[in-house]
Amino acid sequence: MKTFRKTILFLLSFMTISCFGITSVPKANYQVVPLPQRISNTAGGDFTLNNKTVIVYTKGNTPQKQTAEFLAEYIKFGTGLDLKITDKRIAENAIILRSDSKKEKPESYTLTVNNKQIIIDGADEAGIFYGVQTLRKSIPDNVQGTSVIFPAVEIKDYPRFGYRGMMLDVGRHMFPVEFIKKYIDILALHNINRFHWHLTEDQGWRIEIKKYPELTKAGAYREQTVIGRNTGEYDGKPYGGYYTQEEVKDIVAYAQKRFITIIPEIDLPGHMLAALTTYPNLGCTGGPYKVSQLWGVFDDVLCAGNEETYTFLEGVFAELIELFPSKYIHVGGDECPKTRWKECPKCQAKIKELGLTDDPKHSKENKLQSYVISRIEKFLNSKGRQIIGWDEILEGGLAPNATVMSWRGIEGGIAAAKEHHDVIMVPTSHLYFDYYQTKDVDNEPLGIGGYVPVEKVYSFEPVPTELTVEEQKYIIGTQANLWTEYVPTSNHVEYMVMPRIAALSEVQWTMPEKKDYGLFLRRLDSLMKLYKKSGYNYATHVADIFAKTETDASKKAIIITLSTYDNAPIYYTLDGSAPSAKSRKYIQPVEIKETTKIRAIAIRGNDKSKEYTNQFDFNKATLKNVELVSVPHKNYTANGAVTLVNGTRGGNSYANGEWLGFVGKNFEAIVDMETITDISKVSIGTFMGIGAWIFGVTDYTISVSNDGTDYKQVFSQQYPVREENDPRDITVDVKAEFPTETARYVKIVAKPTNSMPDWHAGKGKGAFIFIDEIIIE
């Protein structure tokens, strides 16, 4: 009877606990972003974080005390627990910060958890800080005013690269001091240790230089700003501002406390219209100049033959190095047209004085730019600093001690590493965060173009296999860049950066053999909950349905595989109707063999995902064999020739994987219809975007054949070069109609603009053409 009563009491107690909603103590999860190098479960017993826990730092260690204060703030934010910090020795219920692992790799740490302590032992103070970041991110998102269990563990962690950067352009659009600090906090959350601050542009000079006060009176402001992508329409509103030296000092100190070094950039000798507006004597023509109201690249640059230019630059950098303790100073060097230098008597005199001549690799004007960069490098070296420059500084010969930031692909980085120069990889293809992060650009804020989703960022490997083991050592790190022509607000900055910065952080920190995109997405889910709790404005595209489209030529079918990062159930329709939980549930890949509109949603509890929609249009060319006679540009190969006959249109972004891009050659393709077929119409889809140097077709020819050898031309048409006053990004179908022909093979030739007109920044150079679909009727 006593046993029965005890059982009843136990059950009643259990039911009471359940009814009052008392749940188990939340447990920390060490699967964070970036993923630590080694996580080992141990038998030391779990640690319970509660309101009696104390954070202990080493007495007299100011940086450690600051990190302890950060940890207390993080824990209060994450749990509601208000912990005390102390430099007294406490053995139990303590989080202990120390730096005893002096022989370990820089910035490394060991995080040990047992039933009495959490110990974060750093190789240096930065290592302790990164251990704190891991601990902070391991706290569950649903904790408030309760204890947290930290399972017994030993984490040994260190960064793959010593240089882990993120750039922000404040020249095109400027952001408040408080947001710059918030941006630095976001970087710290992701273990990033370099903030590349792009401070000057054609559109505005953003830093006070006391020797040249007019820079921030005239050069910091533009009269108005173009609307959209150089549409010719303007907002009519003056725009500008700058950071005072006192503000800069405050921001530098703020970053230092978070173990982030700020690398300032004064871009030269191009992108200097703001400075030329202030001091027109520094230009080749003498002006007048105007702070640019447009986006782009401009012919007016600093005069390389004028000694006053070097006096000005040395004056600017002399003040800059007093504000920024960074080893590196970024000097730009990108996108500097040589148009003015070729015509400028002073520049030509300097070329003659230096004995510069053209050679098969470099023009004398390119060598003159090398002289400019080398001269500034010599000045900065004399002050104990090193320079970083964009990969154009390779043109004309590399300055002796320069570090190259390779942005136009990885080729510049490879070339620099082979010359034993340090390299930071920042290719547009993977690490330009001003590019769109989804193919659905119609529902995104206006962007510059391109397509860099989270997965593409994550896939980047900074160390090229083309380098020897010795040469690979010169790849010192990587960073992502956020240019702000089309990013006018702080909220927009956050949206473009997160969560792509999370993928970047694993490229920078985690060893490549430990990376796994599927597992990363699960860990990213927890990090995004922290974003939400922090009030960040982050993109959520990773929660959308992921659709993989393949073609099966043997079945004459398009195969669609749908998935979500968390395996949420997916429901879809094929008749164009809106999907719901009552629609067909996705179980296996869907085969499409005729014109179809697929619509799908994922359902998570009461929440629906963004709808996935795609239209597949079949025509006589769909899924036929296509021979690409001309090879597309290596950055725009999409899925190869099948992209042209996969039933899918390219959409409004040329870099979304549905367009083939060609430059310096005709587009030429041959479609094998497999049997003799009646043909009277042949169309191709094209994309045009002047800002991206993409022009339309200038000549379109169709020929047909029965044997694939002898062709008969059935259509030919020429088209004018696109006009300057039409800056829109548009898609245009180029159509050929002719009397019905019977043929098996169809040859399509489309010629590009071989020389862009004088009004364009790329005048004289060949334009891209982009093709998405061949339609034969």
Side-chain angles (χ1 to χ4, degrees):
M1 180 63 75
K2 287 183 179 180
T3 302
F4 178 74
R5 285 176 182 162
K6 287 180 179 178
T7 302
I8 292 296
L9 287 171
F10 172 78
L11 290 172
L12 288 171
S13 299
F14 178 78
M15 290 170 64
T16 302
I17 291 171
S18 299
C19 290
F20 283 98
I22 300 173
T23 57
S24 59
V25 179
K27 187 175 289 189
N29 181 357
Y30 305 121
Q31 297 292 316
V32 300
V33 176
L35 182 66
Q37 306 296 357
R38 194 176 81 191
I39 304 173
S40 304
N41 296 327
T42 63
D46 298 342
F47 179 88
T48 300
L49 179 79
N50 55 42
N51 58 6
K52 301 297 184 183
T53 303
V54 177
I55 301 170
V56 181
Y57 64 92
T58 303
K59 188 172 184 177
N61 189 320
T62 302
Q64 218 173 90
K65 180 182 180 183
Q66 177 67 73
T67 299
E69 290 172 351
F70 285 145
L71 179 55
E73 290 174 14
Y74 298 150
I75 289 174
K76 184 174 183 179
F77 177 78
T79 68
L81 300 176
D82 194 358
L83 305 190
K84 294 181 179 179
I85 70 168
T86 182
D87 59 2
K88 310 295 184 189
R89 288 181 176 271
I90 296 178
E92 295 190 17
N93 198 13
I95 302 173
I96 299 172
L97 310 183
R98 68 190 190 199
S99 53
D100 294 344
S101 307
K102 296 297 185 184
K103 294 182 181 180
E104 297 293 330
K105 297 179 180 180
E107 301 180 294
S108 66
Y109 66 90
T110 301
L111 193 158
T112 306
V113 177
N114 58 44
N115 61 355
K116 294 182 179 180
Q117 303 169 328
I118 296 177
I119 301 171
I120 301 175
D121 188 0
D124 46 33
E125 300 306 327
I128 297 173
F129 183 78
Y130 296 123
V132 163
Q133 295 303 318
T134 294
L135 192 69
R136 161 200 192 181
K137 286 177 279 194
S138 72
I139 297 171
D141 70 291
N142 59 346
V143 179
Q144 193 57 45
T146 63
S147 300
V148 180
I149 291 177
F150 286 82
V153 75
E154 182 182 71
I155 298 174
K156 284 191 170 290
D157 200 12
Y158 55 87
R160 180 185 181 190
F161 293 106
Y163 185 107
R164 305 181 302 281
M166 186 71 214
M167 186 275 274
L168 180 63
D169 161 27
V170 297
R172 276 60 176 249
H173 284 103
M174 187 182 170
F175 309 98
V177 169
E178 286 310 306
F179 177 74
I180 299 298
K181 291 179 177 180
K182 184 178 184 181
Y183 192 77
I184 289 167
D185 285 332
I186 292 169
L187 269 55
L189 175 65
H190 296 87
N191 294 19
I192 289 173
N193 65 355
R194 298 290 188 276
F195 170 32
H196 172 183
W197 201 3
H198 186 83
L199 288 164
T200 64
E201 260 304 335
D202 293 306
Q203 294 80 13
W205 185 282
R206 302 289 177 228
I207 183 168
E208 177 189 21
I209 302 297
K210 293 184 177 179
K211 185 175 181 179
Y212 301 108
E214 294 300 316
L215 279 172
T216 46
K217 291 181 181 178
Y221 299 91
R222 56 181 180 261
E223 293 177 2
Q224 57 186 353
T225 304
V226 69
I227 297 172
R229 298 192 186 103
N230 288 354
T231 58
E233 298 179 9
Y234 296 85
D235 62 10
K237 300 174 183 177
Y239 183 92
Y242 63 95
Y243 303 98
T244 67
Q245 291 198 3
E246 289 306 308
E247 287 173 331
V248 168
K249 290 175 185 176
D250 180 41
I251 291 168
V252 168
Y254 189 88
Q256 285 177 321
K257 290 177 181 178
R258 291 151 181 82
F259 299 91
I260 292 173
T261 300
I262 300 180
I263 298 173
E265 179 184 357
I266 303 295
D267 202 351
L268 66 98
H271 290 288
M272 271 283 176
L273 273 177
L276 294 179
T277 301
T278 311
Y279 301 108
N281 59 301
L282 301 180
C284 291
T285 68
Y289 305 105
K290 182 183 287 187
V291 178
S292 181
Q293 303 165 15
L294 297 166
W295 316 127
V297 178
F298 305 98
D299 284 341
D300 287 305
V301 301
L302 292 176
C303 179
N306 185 351
E307 280 302 306
E308 292 178 342
T309 293
Y310 303 99
T311 301
F312 167 76
L313 290 174
E314 289 178 6
V316 169
F317 284 115
E319 292 192 27
L320 203 74
I321 60 178
E322 294 300 317
L323 297 171
F324 296 94
S326 167
K327 168 187 172 182
Y328 291 114
I329 303 293
H330 204 303
V331 299
D334 63 316
E335 297 178 329
C336 178
K338 308 302 186 292
T339 307
R340 298 286 187 251
W341 290 1
K342 289 178 181 179
E343 301 169 351
C344 174
K346 289 181 180 179
C347 290
Q348 291 302 313
K350 178 62 73 174
I351 285 171
K352 185 175 181 181
E353 174 193 329
L354 297 171
L356 305 179
T357 58
D358 294 336
D359 64 40
K361 289 186 176 181
H362 307 297
S363 71
K364 58 183 183 290
E365 285 78 20
N366 282 335
K367 292 179 181 179
L368 181 60
Q369 173 159 330
S370 180
Y371 166 77
V372 174
I373 299 298
S374 295
R375 184 161 168 179
I376 296 305
E377 179 190 52
K378 185 176 180 181
F379 173 78
L380 288 169
N381 288 170
S382 73
K383 305 295 184 181
R385 307 302 179 90
Q386 302 290 322
I387 70 164
I388 299 175
W390 302 109
D391 57 43
E392 285 96 331
I393 67 173
L394 286 157
E395 299 166 2
L398 197 52
N401 303 307
T403 294
V404 172
M405 195 165 267
S406 188
W407 72 278
R408 296 177 298 176
I410 62 172
E411 293 78 11
I414 292 171
K418 286 182 178 293
E419 293 184 33
H420 293 182
H421 281 261
D422 286 344
V423 173
I424 300 159
M425 290 294 194
V426 296
T428 59
S429 57
H430 292 76
L431 298 178
Y432 264 44
F433 285 4
D434 52 330
Y435 284 15
Y436 286 116
Q437 50 196 317
T438 174
K439 293 181 181 180
D440 183 18
V441 299
D442 291 338
N443 292 306
E444 288 292 291
L446 178 67
I448 196 169
Y451 178 52
V452 178
V454 170
E455 184 175 13
K456 193 163 189 181
V457 177
Y458 195 81
S459 71
F460 181 58
E461 172 46 54
V463 181
T465 55
E466 295 93 326
L467 298 176
T468 66
V469 173
E470 182 60 30
E471 291 166 344
Q472 288 176 355
K473 295 177 183 177
Y474 291 95
I475 310 299
I476 63 171
T478 184
Q479 77 173 33
N481 296 339
L482 181 60
W483 303 101
T484 61
E485 290 96 330
Y486 306 102
V487 185
T489 67
S490 302
N491 253 16
H492 198 169
V493 170
E494 293 179 26
Y495 181 79
M496 300 304 283
V497 167
M498 292 177 284
R500 289 188 285 192
I501 192 173
L504 171 70
S505 74
E506 292 220 345
V507 173
Q508 296 172 330
W509 185 278
T510 306
M511 297 305 287
E513 61 270 17
K514 292 187 69 66
K515 288 173 60 188
D516 180 291
Y517 184 66
L519 296 177
F520 164 75
L521 288 178
R522 296 180 193 175
R523 289 181 280 109
L524 179 60
D525 182 59
S526 296
L527 183 59
M528 289 199 300
K529 289 174 182 174
L530 181 54
Y531 291 167
K532 185 175 182 179
K533 191 169 187 175
S534 302
Y536 294 150
N537 182 38
Y538 60 98
T540 59
H541 304 104
V542 292
D544 296 343
I545 293 173
F546 175 74
K548 181 179 180 182
T549 302
E550 299 173 294
T551 57
D552 188 328
S554 63
K555 292 183 177 180
K556 289 291 183 283
I558 296 167
I559 313 299
I560 304 175
T561 304
L562 304 178
S563 62
T564 62
Y565 78 96
D566 57 353
N567 296 317
I570 298 171
Y571 301 87
Y572 69 97
T573 64
L574 297 176
D575 60 2
S577 62
S580 69
K582 296 180 180 179
S583 301
R584 188 181 313 179
K585 186 175 183 179
Y586 176 83
I587 298 173
Q588 61 187 16
V590 179
E591 289 188 5
I592 293 178
K593 296 184 177 181
E594 60 185 358
T595 295
T596 301
K597 184 174 186 178
I598 181 171
R599 300 175 65 181
I601 56 169
I603 296 181
R604 300 176 176 92
N606 294 323
D607 296 327
K608 294 180 181 179
S609 72
K610 180 179 177 181
E611 183 180 303
Y612 163 75
T613 303
N614 207 347
Q615 177 74 37
F616 296 91
D617 293 310
F618 279 60
N619 64 82
K620 290 183 177 182
T622 305
L623 302 181
K624 297 297 193 297
N625 183 59
V626 179
E627 176 192 353
L628 270 178
V629 179
S630 48
V631 178
H633 187 278
K634 60 184 176 62
N635 290 346
Y636 305 108
T637 59
N639 291 316
V642 73
T643 306
L644 301 171
V645 290
N646 66 359
T648 307
R649 303 312 301 265
N652 296 326
S653 175
Y654 66 87
N656 64 8
E658 291 292 346
W659 293 92
L660 295 179
F662 301 82
V663 66
K665 64 186 73 172
N666 296 340
F667 163 73
E668 185 172 348
I670 298 172
V671 182
D672 180 358
M673 304 298 290
E674 299 176 358
T675 61
I676 300 296
T677 305
D678 288 344
I679 300 166
S680 61
K681 297 179 183 179
V682 179
S683 302
I684 57 172
T686 69
F687 182 96
M688 292 191 284
I690 283 179
W693 296 25
I694 305 169
F695 279 60
V697 169
T698 59
D699 190 282
Y700 185 50
T701 302
I702 305 297
S703 304
V704 297
S705 171
N706 286 330
D707 59 8
T709 301
D710 296 320
Y711 281 88
K712 171 187 174 183
Q713 187 180 106
V714 295
F715 181 87
S716 182
Q717 178 72 48
Q718 293 184 337
Y719 304 92
V721 174
R722 194 173 179 190
E723 295 296 330
E724 178 181 7
N725 61 1
D726 187 6
R728 299 168 297 156
D729 285 355
I730 56 175
T731 58
V732 176
D733 283 352
V734 181
K735 300 178 180 180
E737 295 189 29
F738 45 86
T740 301
E741 295 282 345
T742 55
R744 173 172 174 175
Y745 299 94
V746 181
K747 180 188 290 186
I748 303 161
V749 179
K751 295 182 180 180
T753 299
N754 290 318
S755 178
M756 284 183 277
D758 288 345
W759 52 260
H760 194 272
K763 63 183 179 182
K765 297 180 180 179
F768 276 91
I769 53 172
F770 275 75
I771 314 294
D772 76 333
E773 193 76 3
I774 296 172
I775 301 168
I776 296 178
E777 300 174 272

